[in-house]
Amino acid sequence: MIWSMTTNAEYVRKSFTIQAGLWGEVEELVGGGNQSAYIARALQRQVERDRLDLLLADLEAANGPVTAEEIDAVEREIA
């Protein structure tokens, strides 16, 4: 498996700088809740997307780019 959330995770404390408006949105959504957990889930989703991008780049390097016809065929199949 390329990615997974660890259930027995160790934690680290880090300091980040975030745009005030973005942090305001987080506070609006999470309120007084667990902001660390919210940020951890967001980072996990981004890591998964980045790893998928790397996988797709590797697949395209090995097999060539996906054609519009192939995309259309898959979209018809899953519709």
Side-chain angles (χ1 to χ4, degrees), residues 2 6 12 14-15 17 21 25-26 28 33 36 38 40-41 47-48 50 53 59 68 72-73:
I2 294 176
T6 304
V12 295
K14 297 291 179 180
S15 174
T17 302
E25 290 185 53
V26 170
E28 184 178 311
S36 292
Y38 182 90
R41 286 190 309 270
V47 166
E48 291 169 358
D50 292 346
D53 286 344
L59 290 172
D72 289 343

Side-chain angles (χ1 to χ4, degrees), residues 8-38:
N8 189 13
E10 293 184 31
Y11 294 91
V12 295
R13 182 177 296 268
K14 297 291 179 180
S15 174
F16 298 95
T17 302
I18 299 173
Q19 294 171 328
L22 178 57
W23 186 250
E25 290 185 53
V26 170
E27 287 182 320
E28 184 178 311
L29 291 167
V30 179
N34 192 340
Q35 295 164 343
S36 292
Y38 182 90

Side-chain angles (χ1 to χ4, degrees), residues 49-70:
R49 287 184 182 112
D50 292 346
R51 289 187 186 279
L52 183 55
D53 286 344
L54 292 171
L55 175 61
L56 292 173
D58 287 347
L59 290 172
E60 282 194 342
N63 302 301
V66 178
T67 66
E69 293 80 21
E70 291 169 324

